[in-house]
Amino acid sequence: MGCGAPRCLPTAEAGTVPSPTPGASRCAPRCRGSGWSRVPHRAHRLIPSDDELYQRTRLTVLEPESPNIMFIEGYSSRGFTINGDVVVGPCAVLPRTILQWNVGSYRDISHESLSLFRLLEPRIEILVLGTGDRVERLHAAMLKQMRECGIAVEVQDTPNACATFNFLTSEKRMVAAGLIPPRATCTGTSGTAYAVLPSPA
């Protein structure tokens, strides 16, 4: 088919962007001499495509000196003191909030109770689990599932888990903790069983 100038560019209504027709990219170069411009291969998009529209939104991590950063100040057999607030019972310490964790002991830690940490956005890097007075063995399948989600899991006794969480937070790591209060703590001068954690350097 010949390449007459009127046939090189498709006709479009006012306010629309023409789509290239088959063969336009081959005949357009031979039409430049007649004053016609080359047909664009792709029109400019004025709205986001589907993959751009549904991308996840990432939040900026707060700086360590922000008062909203979670810091575990102490623990007892009843619960924890976090950022000046007393939390009774097991708790989930997230980068910017604290939740009650519905477990009674390490035996209740399951795929379901860990699902909270897998759904966080921005995604955490490390999950620190405090299993009480001592390190308890958890099911390997649960830990494997967390690793497959890109989350490393540290299982420790609760006193060490609290210190580890504070240290990782001070290092600007995206970390969360699932903590079960220990039954045995040192008794202070007031007669209350309570342990105070030092601030990370």
Side-chain angles (χ1 to χ4, degrees):
M1 185 175 182
C3 182
R7 298 179 182 178
C8 291
L9 292 176
T11 304
E13 298 180 1
T16 63
V17 179
S19 301
T21 58
S25 61
R26 293 194 300 272
C27 67
R30 296 197 297 271
C31 298
R32 290 176 182 172
S34 60
W36 292 83
S37 60
R38 187 176 180 198
V39 178
H41 288 283
R42 185 178 182 183
H44 293 289
R45 289 183 291 107
L46 301 181
I47 59 174
S49 60
D50 289 343
D51 57 338
E52 294 169 337
L53 188 61
Y54 295 104
Q55 286 179 351
R56 295 187 229 175
T57 300
R58 296 287 179 178
L59 301 179
T60 303
V61 181
L62 294 174
E63 294 297 329
E65 58 269 16
S66 169
N68 292 327
I69 286 294
M70 297 295 109
F71 177 73
I72 304 171
E73 299 167 354
Y75 58 87
S76 71
S77 59
R78 295 188 58 192
F80 305 88
T81 302
I82 304 173
N83 286 15
D85 297 322
V86 176
V87 182
V88 178
C91 64
V93 188
L94 310 182
R96 296 182 61 177
T97 190
I98 312 164
L99 300 175
Q100 291 286 340
W101 196 25
N102 190 24
V103 297
S105 71
Y106 76 92
R107 296 182 182 87
D108 298 321
I109 298 177
S110 62
H111 292 283
E112 291 74 21
S113 62
L114 294 180
S115 62
L116 163 68
F117 303 103
R118 295 194 298 270
L119 298 174
L120 294 175
E121 285 291 343
R123 186 180 296 278
I124 60 173
E125 304 173 62
I126 305 170
L127 172 62
V128 182
L129 294 177
T131 54
D133 296 315
R134 61 181 184 178
V135 180
E136 302 290 355
R137 187 178 182 86
L138 302 181
H139 292 293
M142 290 190 301
L143 304 181
K144 180 181 178 182
Q145 184 182 32
M146 298 299 286
R147 288 195 301 269
E148 290 173 348
C149 294
I151 303 173
V153 181
E154 292 285 340
V155 182
Q156 301 177 341
D157 59 86
T158 296
N160 282 315
C162 293
T164 299
F165 174 85
N166 286 346
F167 173 77
L168 292 173
T169 299
S170 70
E171 293 289 313
K172 302 182 181 181
R173 305 296 297 273
M174 287 297 296
V175 59
L179 304 173
I180 298 172
R183 294 182 180 180
T185 52
C186 298
T187 303
T189 55
S190 62
T192 303
Y194 186 79
V196 178
L197 292 170
S199 300

